Amino acid sequence: MPIDPPLLDWLLDSDPALRWQVERDLVGAPEAVWSATRARVATEGFGARLLAAQDPDGQWAGGAYFPGDFRGPDPADEDGQPYTATTWTLNTLRDFGLDPAALAGTAELLAANSRWEYEGLPYWGGEVDCCINAFTLANGAWLGTDVSALAGWFVEHRLADGGWNCEWVEGSTRSSFHSTLNSLKGMLYYEAATGGTDALREARRAGEEYLLERGLLRRRSTGELVGSWATHFAYPFRWVYSALNAADHFRSAALHDGTAPDPRLADAIEVIRAARRPDGTWLQERRHPGRTWFQIDVPPGEPSPWLTFHATRVLDWWDEATASEAAGSR
């Protein structure tokens, strides 16, 4: 469905980190246009602010996954997970579309200076948490360092039901929606950047099947909604599962694989569609609590440019693909 000009103008009036994606995916602008905007991420706005916060040793906030001064959450507060350390900042810059050339030398600095809070393991080797390893897999591929051993880790640690769970090390044998989606996103990024391997592709598709069998929303055993978080939308997505976060992955995977949308996405797509307001926007429903360098999106209750972009892009992809399939079957 064509986007209304006032809504498009609102989306375009944004930081270069979002604007270039709107130009490419919603406007259909020539590559010369959106790539010029994308180049500004390194020198303007959110991207430039994050680059300026990098420590001389290559890290951010003095730590790999947690800031160097973090001693665990205080039970009396609700600040939650801090999002200022190295891994989270790299995730954000990668999502912004930053040219990795702006971080030349960072991969080498992290190899030399950064260690995981878990047992002091070397940064690019990952650790035991599949979400952390997925972020590291994607960030390593983005920065051009060899993380092929970490790619193999996902093949070896897939659970019998097809997905992953960050609590496997505590004995969990059932996959998690959150952990599985984060793992899939990391594997897809690695695959797109490097070509991947047959074993990794097989693991990714098995993990996608885990979510598709559940309609992206429901427990397979009972058909009940897996959790209220599945239908609540917030940006940045962070590590948290939602129907929108998952549908965004399945869009990327289908475009990468050259396949049509799986019909089992339909219920999740309708959840996304139902959240659209009459003016074409989606509201920020909450913020994931935790320390940040600065806020990227609007407070809860306000129309979110980032959620509106992601949701509009997903619905455009679904509607165009399903309309073409319907026309071809006539």
Side-chain angles (χ1 to χ4, degrees):
M1 183 176 70
I3 189 168
D4 290 338
L7 181 60
L8 187 58
D9 289 343
W10 175 68
L11 290 172
L12 289 168
D13 185 21
S14 56
D15 189 272
L18 176 58
R19 181 183 173 104
W20 78 265
Q21 299 183 75
V22 175
E23 291 172 339
R24 184 189 65 180
D25 297 335
L26 300 186
V27 176
E31 183 174 354
V33 172
W34 59 258
S35 62
T37 305
R38 185 176 188 173
R40 292 165 47 201
V41 172
T43 58
E44 299 178 26
F46 297 153
R49 291 174 69 182
L50 289 178
L51 287 174
Q54 188 176 18
D55 300 332
D57 68 358
Q59 299 188 108
W60 278 263
Y65 195 73
F66 296 100
D69 63 356
F70 185 68
R71 298 296 177 263
D74 183 339
D77 70 38
E78 298 181 356
D79 285 343
Q81 158 82 54
Y83 295 109
T84 53
T86 301
T87 297
W88 290 108
T89 305
L90 288 177
N91 288 352
T92 303
L93 289 168
R94 176 168 51 82
D95 287 344
F96 284 172
L98 178 74
D99 185 338
L103 288 171
T106 292
E108 293 77 11
L109 285 170
L110 295 180
N113 302 318
S114 191
R115 294 292 182 271
W116 294 109
E117 291 80 8
Y118 181 86
E119 296 188 352
L121 295 171
Y123 190 81
W124 292 119
E127 43 125 290
V128 298
D129 185 296
C130 56
C131 294
I132 292 175
N133 286 352
F135 301 149
T136 308
L137 181 67
N139 290 334
W142 174 51
L143 294 181
T145 196
D146 182 5
V147 284
S148 55
L150 195 52
W153 184 94
F154 284 91
V155 176
E156 296 165 3
H157 289 81
R158 181 164 59 91
L159 299 178
D161 60 5
W164 291 263
N165 192 322
C166 291
E167 296 182 359
W168 71 271
V169 73
E170 277 84 42
S172 178
T173 59
R174 298 174 62 185
S175 295
S176 152
F177 274 56
H178 303 286
S179 301
T180 297
L181 179 60
N182 288 322
S183 297
L184 292 174
K185 291 171 70 173
M187 287 187 286
L188 180 63
Y189 192 95
Y190 176 84
E191 188 180 323
T194 69
T197 65
D198 289 343
L200 191 68
R201 268 185 292 281
E202 180 182 350
R204 171 172 67 86
R205 288 168 181 161
E208 289 168 351
E209 185 66 19
Y210 170 86
L211 294 178
L212 289 167
E213 286 177 341
R214 293 156 177 79
L216 275 62
L217 295 168
R218 305 191 179 278
R219 299 182 187 279
R220 188 178 181 187
S221 56
T222 65
E224 296 175 347
L225 186 69
V226 66
S228 60
W229 36 263
T231 57
H232 291 169
F233 303 155
Y235 194 87
F237 294 132
R238 303 300 189 193
W239 58 269
V240 180
Y241 185 97
S242 71
L244 178 56
N245 192 3
D248 193 60
H249 165 78
F250 278 94
R251 171 190 173 274
S252 297
L255 293 175
H256 174 75
D257 293 336
T259 58
D262 192 292
R264 291 171 291 178
L265 297 171
D267 287 349
I269 292 294
E270 291 315 307
V271 165
I272 297 167
R273 197 187 306 278
R276 181 168 55 192
R277 303 195 324 148
D279 63 0
T281 64
W282 277 257
L283 294 181
Q284 177 86 291
E285 296 188 46
R286 59 176 174 166
R287 273 186 178 151
H288 305 305
R291 190 191 316 176
T292 63
W293 288 109
F294 48 84
Q295 294 297 340
I296 293 166
D297 205 355
V298 296
E302 295 186 12
S304 161
W306 287 90
L307 289 174
T308 299
F309 162 70
H310 282 285
T312 301
R313 183 172 71 171
V314 162
L315 292 184
D316 283 354
W317 162 72
W318 173 267
D319 291 344
E320 181 179 347
T322 52
S324 296
E325 186 175 338
S329 65
R330 286 201 291 268

